[in-house]
Amino acid sequence: MPTQGLSLLAAGGAIGLLGGNDIGVFGMLALATRVVTDYGKVLASVRPDVYALPESLLPHPKESIRQALRSLLKRMPLDQLELREGLVRGYVYLTQFIPDADAAIIAAGQAGLTGMSDADDGLASQANRLINAVKADMERALEEVRELRPYDDL
C-alpha cells in the first residue's frame, strides 16, 4: 500500500522541501501536502485487494491529486527515497480510481468470475477490458512519474 511515504509527508516532510522563504512556494507546497495527505487517508482505508475503486472515494478531484503529487515529487530531493517512493506509489495507484460506473462493472464482473454472483459473460468481458485499461494507465503513470526529477520545470 502506498501510504507509508504519504504518511511521512503528512507528518511534516514538506517543510524540508522549501527551497527558500518564498511564501508563494510555501503556500503551494502546503496545499499540495494537504491534498496528498487527504488522499493518503483514503488509501489507508481501502482494501488492497480491490483492483478498481470508484472516483467518488477521492477527497479531491483526481487531477488535483495528480498535480499535487507531481508538485511534491518535483520538490522532493532524490536522497529522500522513502518519501519519493511513497509519492510514486500514490501517483501510480491513483489510476486505480476510475469512474464509479466503471468500478461497479468491474466489481460485478469480478463477482461473476469468482462465482459470487450470476453475472453474464458479457459483463465479465467488459470488466476485463476495463481492468486492462487500468493496467495500461498504471504503466503509463509509472513511466510518466519516473521522468519527474526534483526542480524540473519549477
Side-chain angles (χ1 to χ4, degrees), residues 91-92 136-148:
Y91 189 89
V92 173
D137 287 345
M138 289 177 74
E139 289 176 18
R140 274 191 296 273
L142 185 57
E143 289 174 19
E144 185 178 295
V145 77
R146 282 183 177 158
E147 295 176 5
L148 290 177

Side-chain angles (χ1 to χ4, degrees), residues 104-124:
I105 290 169
I106 289 174
Q110 287 178 327
L113 290 173
T114 60
M116 295 176 64
S117 80
D118 293 330
D120 64 19
D121 288 339
L123 186 60

Side-chain angles (χ1 to χ4, degrees), residues 16-22 25 29 75 151:
L17 301 179
L18 296 176
N21 293 327
D22 184 0
V25 171
L29 288 174
R75 284 281 184 182
Y151 311 108

Side-chain angles (χ1 to χ4, degrees), residues 13 21 28 30 37 41 46 51-53 57 66-67 71 76 87 94-95 97 108 115-117 120 126:
N21 293 327
M28 182 272 306
T37 298
K41 290 175 185 175
V46 297
Y51 200 82
L53 299 162
L57 292 176
R66 183 183 335 274
Q67 290 304 318
S71 293
M76 184 69 57
L87 293 171
L94 187 60
T95 63
F97 289 88
M116 295 176 64
S117 80
D120 64 19
Q126 190 176 4

